[in-house]
Amino acid sequence: MSDKFNSNEKKQFNEAYFNLYRDDKKRETMYQEERSRIENLNSKGGRILDVGCGIGGFLSGFDKKKWDFYGVDIAKVAIKEARSKGIKINDFPKAYEYPKEYFDVIVFRGSLQLIPTPFSIIEICIKLLKPGGYIIFLATPNSNSPYYRRFKTLPFLTPHLNFLIPSDVMMKNALINFGL
C-alpha cells in the first residue's frame, strides 16, 4: 500500500486539528451511542479496526475485555496518542498489512471523505473483514442529504481536507459492486 497522502496533507492533521476532539462532551455522547449500536450488532466483541482513528477517542471507549483495538491514521501526533490508549497501529505504508479475514468489525467514522482513494481502501478493508463481519460507516457525509443539497456543505466538514463527499446512492452502489 503506497502512502497517497503528501507531507503537506499530513501537516494539516496536526495538534491543533486534534485539539477539537479532546474533552468534547457532545462528541463523547455521540461516540457512546455509536458504540452501543456496534455492540448491538456484535455483542461478543473481537478485533475492531477504525480507519482514521485519530487520537483513539472512539475505540478507547469500548470494553477492553471484549475488543482488540486496531487503527489507521496518517498523523504522527494522533498515532502516538492512540497507541498510548492501547490501539495497535501499523506505520504507513503498511497501514493495512493484516491477514485476510482478520477483523470482526471495520469502522469508517468521519474519515471516508478525507481519504484520497476511498474506494481502494474500502476494497482492501472488505478483504480484511471476516465472513459475517461488519463494515460500518459512521459520521460519513451524504451529498444526497437535503441539507447538503440546499447548502452545498454539512456541519463539521473540513472542505480543504476533503477528497470526496459521497452520497448514499454512491455508497450503496459501490458496496454492491464490491460484492456486499
Side-chain angles (χ1 to χ4, degrees):
M1 157 106 221
S2 66
D3 186 353
K4 299 282 186 186
F5 287 94
N6 67 42
S7 61
N8 187 43
E9 290 163 332
K10 287 182 181 180
K11 288 178 188 172
Q12 293 182 42
F13 295 101
N14 57 24
E15 188 74 32
Y17 177 87
F18 290 105
N19 278 338
L20 300 171
Y21 294 84
R22 292 185 180 93
D23 302 319
D24 182 338
K25 292 184 189 323
K26 288 182 183 178
R27 183 175 299 276
E28 183 52 39
T29 298
M30 186 170 48
Y31 285 171
Q32 288 173 353
E33 291 171 6
E34 292 167 343
R35 285 184 209 111
S36 177
R37 287 189 282 175
I38 291 171
E39 292 272 355
N40 286 337
L41 291 171
N42 178 340
S43 59
K44 66 182 190 285
R47 291 186 196 108
I48 184 170
L49 175 68
D50 185 356
V51 177
C53 68
I55 58 176
F58 179 66
L59 282 180
S60 64
F62 279 94
D63 184 346
K64 291 169 180 46
K65 294 176 186 165
K66 291 172 52 176
W67 294 96
D68 195 10
F69 310 127
Y70 295 81
V72 173
D73 211 283
I74 63 164
K76 289 181 181 181
V77 65
I79 292 169
K80 182 179 178 184
E81 189 166 336
R83 284 178 175 160
S84 76
K85 294 175 181 171
I87 299 167
K88 299 171 190 85
I89 302 176
N90 290 343
D91 292 324
F92 262 94
K94 297 181 179 188
Y96 297 94
E97 287 190 11
Y98 295 100
K100 279 185 167 186
E101 301 179 354
Y102 191 69
F103 295 102
D104 299 282
V105 175
I106 299 176
V107 178
F108 288 78
R109 193 192 175 293
S111 60
L112 189 67
Q113 70 276 12
L114 304 172
I115 300 172
T117 56
F119 295 112
S120 65
I121 298 302
I122 290 170
E123 186 174 26
I124 289 167
C125 288
I126 289 169
K127 291 174 185 171
L128 296 177
L129 192 63
K130 287 182 179 178
Y134 296 94
I135 188 164
I136 300 171
F137 298 90
L138 299 168
T140 299
N142 179 0
S143 63
N144 199 31
S145 71
Y147 189 98
Y148 189 89
R149 287 192 321 237
R150 176 149 192 245
F151 298 107
K152 301 299 180 217
T153 190
L154 292 168
F156 309 111
L157 279 184
T158 49
H160 65 290
L161 298 175
N162 296 330
F163 289 93
L164 172 74
I165 305 298
S167 72
D168 55 336
V169 174
M170 179 190 301
M171 290 304 298
K172 180 180 178 183
N173 289 341
L175 295 172
I176 289 170
N177 288 335
F178 283 132
L180 297 180

